[in-house]
Protein backbone atom coordinates (compact mmCIF):
# COMPACT_ATOMS: atom_id res chain seq x y z
CA UNK A 1 0.00 0.00 0.00
CA UNK A 2 1.16 3.54 -0.74
CA UNK A 3 0.15 6.25 1.67
CA UNK A 4 0.81 9.98 1.69
CA UNK A 5 0.69 11.65 5.10
CA UNK A 6 1.96 15.06 6.23
CA UNK A 7 3.69 15.59 2.90
CA UNK A 8 5.60 12.31 3.00
CA UNK A 9 5.16 9.10 1.03
CA UNK A 10 5.07 5.74 2.83
CA UNK A 11 5.06 2.20 1.48
CA UNK A 12 3.31 -0.24 3.82
CA UNK A 13 3.44 -4.03 3.58
CA UNK A 14 0.45 -5.74 5.19
CA UNK A 15 2.65 -8.83 5.64
CA UNK A 16 4.69 -6.90 8.18
CA UNK A 17 1.73 -5.73 10.26
CA UNK A 18 1.97 -6.22 14.03
CA UNK A 19 -0.97 -7.23 16.21
CA UNK A 20 -1.01 -5.31 19.50
CA UNK A 21 -4.08 -7.05 20.91
CA UNK A 22 -4.42 -9.68 23.63
CA UNK A 23 -7.03 -12.16 22.45
CA UNK A 24 -9.88 -13.20 24.68
CA UNK A 25 -8.91 -16.73 25.69
CA UNK A 26 -11.15 -19.66 26.62
CA UNK A 27 -8.21 -21.48 28.21
CA UNK A 28 -8.08 -19.35 31.39
CA UNK A 29 -4.69 -17.85 30.58
CA UNK A 30 -5.61 -14.29 29.63
CA UNK A 31 -5.57 -11.11 31.73
CA UNK A 32 -8.35 -10.35 34.19
CA UNK A 33 -9.54 -7.19 35.92
CA UNK A 34 -12.29 -6.33 38.38
CA UNK A 35 -12.63 -9.94 39.62
CA UNK A 36 -13.85 -10.95 36.19
CA UNK A 37 -14.17 -14.60 35.18
CA UNK A 38 -12.30 -15.79 32.11
CA UNK A 39 -14.39 -16.12 28.93
CA UNK A 40 -16.35 -19.36 28.80
CA UNK A 41 -17.78 -21.42 25.95
CA UNK A 42 -20.54 -23.96 26.65
CA UNK A 43 -22.85 -25.79 24.22
CA UNK A 44 -26.49 -24.80 24.00
CA UNK A 45 -28.79 -27.26 25.76
CA UNK A 46 -32.50 -27.08 24.85
CA UNK A 47 -34.75 -30.02 25.70
CA UNK A 48 -33.16 -33.08 24.10
CA UNK A 49 -30.92 -30.96 21.89
CA UNK A 50 -27.29 -30.36 22.78
CA UNK A 51 -25.14 -28.16 20.58
CA UNK A 52 -22.01 -30.30 20.74
CA UNK A 53 -21.14 -32.90 18.09
CA UNK A 54 -18.67 -34.59 20.44
CA UNK A 55 -21.57 -35.19 22.87
CA UNK A 56 -23.95 -36.52 20.25
CA UNK A 57 -25.41 -33.29 18.95
CA UNK A 58 -26.17 -32.71 15.27
CA UNK A 59 -24.14 -29.47 15.18
CA UNK A 60 -22.01 -27.22 17.34
CA UNK A 61 -23.94 -24.32 18.89
CA UNK A 62 -21.71 -22.57 21.42
CA UNK A 63 -23.00 -20.10 24.02
CA UNK A 64 -20.23 -17.65 24.85
CA UNK A 65 -19.93 -15.64 28.07
CA UNK A 66 -17.51 -12.74 27.70
CA UNK A 67 -16.68 -9.66 29.77
CA UNK A 68 -15.42 -7.41 26.99
CA UNK A 69 -13.82 -4.78 29.23
CA UNK A 70 -11.91 -7.03 31.62
CA UNK A 71 -10.44 -10.07 29.85
CA UNK A 72 -8.56 -8.87 26.76
CA UNK A 73 -7.94 -5.98 24.41
CA UNK A 74 -11.05 -3.88 23.80
CA UNK A 75 -11.98 -0.51 22.31
CA UNK A 76 -14.58 1.76 23.88
CA UNK A 77 -16.20 5.09 23.11
CA UNK A 78 -18.31 7.60 25.03
CA UNK A 79 -21.21 5.12 25.09
CA UNK A 80 -19.16 3.30 27.76
CA UNK A 81 -19.70 6.13 30.25
CA UNK A 82 -23.04 7.68 29.29
CA UNK A 83 -26.42 6.90 27.72
CA UNK A 84 -25.69 8.61 24.41
CA UNK A 85 -26.05 5.33 22.44
CA UNK A 86 -22.83 6.24 20.59
CA UNK A 87 -21.06 3.08 19.40
CA UNK A 88 -17.62 2.28 18.01
CA UNK A 89 -19.11 2.16 14.51
CA UNK A 90 -20.16 5.80 14.88
CA UNK A 91 -16.76 7.19 15.83
CA UNK A 92 -13.97 4.90 14.59
CA UNK A 93 -12.98 5.32 10.93
CA UNK A 94 -12.48 2.20 8.82
CA UNK A 95 -9.33 3.53 7.17
CA UNK A 96 -5.79 3.58 8.56
CA UNK A 97 -5.15 5.89 11.51
CA UNK A 98 -1.71 7.54 11.84
CA UNK A 99 -0.35 6.71 15.29
CA UNK A 100 2.64 7.55 17.48
CA UNK A 101 4.03 4.90 19.86
CA UNK A 102 5.77 6.15 23.00
CA UNK A 103 7.22 4.30 25.98
CA UNK A 104 6.76 5.79 29.45
CA UNK A 105 7.79 4.85 32.96
CA UNK A 106 5.11 5.44 35.61
CA UNK A 107 6.20 7.28 38.74
CA UNK A 108 5.05 7.34 42.35
CA UNK A 109 2.33 9.80 43.26
CA UNK A 110 4.65 11.29 45.88
CA UNK A 111 6.98 12.42 43.09
CA UNK A 112 4.47 14.57 41.19
CA UNK A 113 2.39 17.66 41.91
CA UNK A 114 -0.24 16.61 39.37
CA UNK A 115 -3.69 15.50 40.51
CA UNK A 116 -6.54 13.00 40.41
CA UNK A 117 -10.13 13.13 41.62
CA UNK A 118 -9.83 10.61 44.47
CA UNK A 119 -7.18 10.00 47.08
CA UNK A 120 -4.00 8.18 46.10
CA UNK A 121 -1.31 6.75 48.32
CA UNK A 122 2.05 5.76 46.87
CA UNK A 123 0.59 4.45 43.64
CA UNK A 124 2.11 4.53 40.18
CA UNK A 125 0.83 7.16 37.75
CA UNK A 126 1.59 8.41 34.26
CA UNK A 127 2.03 12.16 34.28
CA UNK A 128 1.73 14.97 31.76
CA UNK A 129 5.39 15.79 32.29
CA UNK A 130 6.42 12.24 31.35
CA UNK A 131 4.29 12.23 28.19
CA UNK A 132 5.45 15.70 27.13
CA UNK A 133 9.05 14.47 27.05
CA UNK A 134 8.11 11.72 24.58
CA UNK A 135 5.51 13.38 22.35
CA UNK A 136 7.68 15.27 19.87
CA UNK A 137 4.85 15.22 17.34
CA UNK A 138 1.14 14.47 17.46
CA UNK A 139 -1.03 12.19 15.35
CA UNK A 140 -4.65 11.08 15.37
CA UNK A 141 -3.75 8.15 17.61
CA UNK A 142 -1.36 7.72 20.53
CA UNK A 143 -0.15 4.29 21.67
CA UNK A 144 1.39 4.16 25.14
CA UNK A 145 3.65 1.32 26.27
CA UNK A 146 4.52 1.27 29.98
CA UNK A 147 7.69 -0.12 31.49
CA UNK A 148 8.61 -2.55 32.86
CA UNK A 149 7.11 -4.39 29.89
CA UNK A 150 7.27 -8.16 30.27
CA UNK A 151 5.00 -10.81 28.82
CA UNK A 152 3.23 -11.36 32.14
CA UNK A 153 0.89 -8.56 30.95
CA UNK A 154 -0.67 -11.13 28.60
CA UNK A 155 -2.02 -13.15 31.55
CA UNK A 156 -1.82 -10.78 34.53
CA UNK A 157 -4.46 -10.65 37.27
CA UNK A 158 -4.84 -6.90 37.82
CA UNK A 159 -6.73 -7.42 41.06
CA UNK A 160 -3.53 -8.80 42.56
CA UNK A 161 -1.10 -6.48 40.75
CA UNK A 162 -2.32 -2.89 40.78
CA UNK A 163 -1.99 -1.13 37.45
CA UNK A 164 -0.74 2.44 36.94
CA UNK A 165 -3.22 5.06 35.76
CA UNK A 166 -3.09 8.60 34.37
CA UNK A 167 -3.20 11.96 36.10
CA UNK A 168 -5.85 14.45 35.00
CA UNK A 169 -3.17 16.69 33.56
CA UNK A 170 -1.83 13.84 31.42
CA UNK A 171 -5.25 13.12 29.89
CA UNK A 172 -5.95 16.82 29.31
CA UNK A 173 -2.60 17.22 27.58
CA UNK A 174 -3.17 14.20 25.32
CA UNK A 175 -6.55 15.58 24.29
CA UNK A 176 -5.14 19.08 23.74
CA UNK A 177 -2.61 17.62 21.29
CA UNK A 178 -5.45 16.45 19.04
CA UNK A 179 -5.28 12.76 19.90
CA UNK A 180 -8.64 11.19 19.06
CA UNK A 181 -7.73 7.53 19.65
CA UNK A 182 -5.81 6.55 22.79
CA UNK A 183 -4.36 3.03 23.08
CA UNK A 184 -2.75 1.75 26.30
CA UNK A 185 -1.36 -1.48 27.72
CA UNK A 186 -3.25 -0.92 30.98
CA UNK A 187 -6.67 -2.29 32.01
CA UNK A 188 -7.97 1.26 32.45
CA UNK A 189 -6.82 4.88 32.09
CA UNK A 190 -8.52 5.44 35.47
CA UNK A 191 -7.68 4.12 38.90
CA UNK A 192 -9.54 0.84 39.46
CA UNK A 193 -11.29 2.08 42.62
CA UNK A 194 -12.11 5.68 41.72
CA UNK A 195 -15.59 5.46 43.33
CA UNK A 196 -17.13 4.73 39.94
CA UNK A 197 -16.49 8.24 38.63
CA UNK A 198 -14.27 7.30 35.63
CA UNK A 199 -12.93 10.83 35.71
CA UNK A 200 -10.23 10.35 33.08
CA UNK A 201 -12.60 8.63 30.67
CA UNK A 202 -15.00 11.56 30.92
CA UNK A 203 -12.23 14.08 30.40
CA UNK A 204 -10.89 12.32 27.31
CA UNK A 205 -14.27 11.72 25.67
CA UNK A 206 -15.03 15.45 25.69
CA UNK A 207 -12.66 15.63 22.72
CA UNK A 208 -11.48 12.10 21.87
CA UNK A 209 -13.31 9.30 20.12
CA UNK A 210 -11.99 5.91 21.27
CA UNK A 211 -9.90 4.36 24.03
CA UNK A 212 -8.34 0.91 23.60
CA UNK A 213 -7.12 -0.85 26.75
CA UNK A 214 -5.28 -4.05 27.70
CA UNK A 215 -2.90 -4.13 24.75
CA UNK A 216 0.51 -5.80 24.74
CA UNK A 217 3.19 -3.91 22.82
CA UNK A 218 6.36 -5.94 22.40
CA UNK A 219 9.65 -4.18 23.11
CA UNK A 220 10.81 -4.96 19.56
CA UNK A 221 8.29 -2.48 18.12
CA UNK A 222 9.83 0.96 17.63
Amino acid sequence: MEIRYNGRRYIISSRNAVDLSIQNSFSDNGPTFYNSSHPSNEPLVSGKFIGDIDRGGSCNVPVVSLNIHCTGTHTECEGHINNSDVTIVDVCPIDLIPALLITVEPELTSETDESYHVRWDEELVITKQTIQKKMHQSHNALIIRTIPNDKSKISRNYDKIRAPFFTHQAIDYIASEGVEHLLVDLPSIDKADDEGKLGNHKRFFKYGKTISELLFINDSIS
Side-chain angles (χ1 to χ4, degrees):
M1 294 176 284
E2 179 179 316
I3 291 176
R4 294 186 182 275
Y5 176 66
N6 276 358
R8 298 182 63 183
R9 175 174 169 267
Y10 299 87
I11 301 297
I12 298 176
S13 169
S14 59
R15 293 181 180 179
N16 295 328
V18 179
D19 186 358
L20 304 184
S21 67
I22 301 173
Q23 294 184 7
N24 277 281
S25 170
F26 295 103
S27 55
D28 293 350
N29 61 1
T32 54
F33 182 51
Y34 250 85
N35 295 311
S36 175
S37 300
H38 289 280
S40 62
N41 185 339
E42 300 292 336
L44 173 68
V45 177
S46 178
K48 295 181 179 180
F49 174 81
I50 183 167
D52 188 341
I53 293 175
D54 289 338
R55 294 168 61 181
S58 59
C59 58
N60 293 315
V61 184
V63 178
V64 173
S65 176
L66 174 64
N67 183 335
I68 292 173
H69 289 273
C70 298
T71 59
T73 303
H74 57 279
T75 299
E76 57 205 29
C77 62
E78 67 169 279
H80 177 49
I81 58 162
N82 60 33
N83 289 326
S84 64
D85 294 326
V86 174
T87 69
I88 297 297
V89 176
D90 300 321
V91 295
C92 193
I94 60 173
D95 53 353
L96 295 170
I97 304 171
L100 172 68
L101 167 62
I102 64 173
T103 301
V104 301
E105 183 174 7
E107 59 188 273
L108 289 171
T109 52
S110 58
E111 298 174 352
T112 180
D113 59 0
E114 297 182 22
S115 60
Y116 193 67
H117 55 273
V118 297
R119 181 177 175 178
W120 58 20
D121 294 302
E122 288 305 288
E123 296 190 67
L124 290 171
V125 290
I126 301 167
T127 64
K128 171 185 176 180
Q129 186 176 26
T130 299
I131 294 173
Q132 273 184 313
K133 292 177 181 178
K134 299 297 181 80
M135 277 189 70
H136 303 302
Q137 56 184 325
S138 61
H139 296 293
N140 296 91
L142 175 65
I143 307 167
I144 297 179
R145 172 174 51 202
T146 58
I147 53 175
N149 184 49
D150 58 84
K151 289 189 176 181
S152 68
K153 290 179 180 178
I154 295 174
S155 58
R156 184 173 296 173
N157 183 334
Y158 283 99
D159 296 306
K160 295 181 178 179
I161 301 176
R162 295 180 67 85
F165 55 96
F166 291 78
T167 65
H168 285 332
Q169 289 79 3
I171 293 297
D172 290 346
Y173 174 72
I174 290 169
S176 71
E177 287 294 298
V179 173
E180 296 182 328
H181 307 280
L182 176 60
L183 301 90
V184 300
D185 62 359
L186 307 171
S188 177
I189 65 170
D190 272 296
K191 182 180 178 182
D193 49 345
D194 82 328
E195 301 175 2
K197 296 178 180 178
L198 280 83
N200 280 341
H201 283 75
K202 292 175 180 176
R203 296 175 93 94
F204 181 79
F205 283 133
K206 289 180 181 179
Y207 311 98
K209 294 181 178 179
T210 71
I211 299 172
S212 298
E213 297 165 330
L214 277 176
L215 284 74
F216 178 69
I217 306 151
N218 200 293
D219 286 335
S220 63
I221 305 172
S222 61

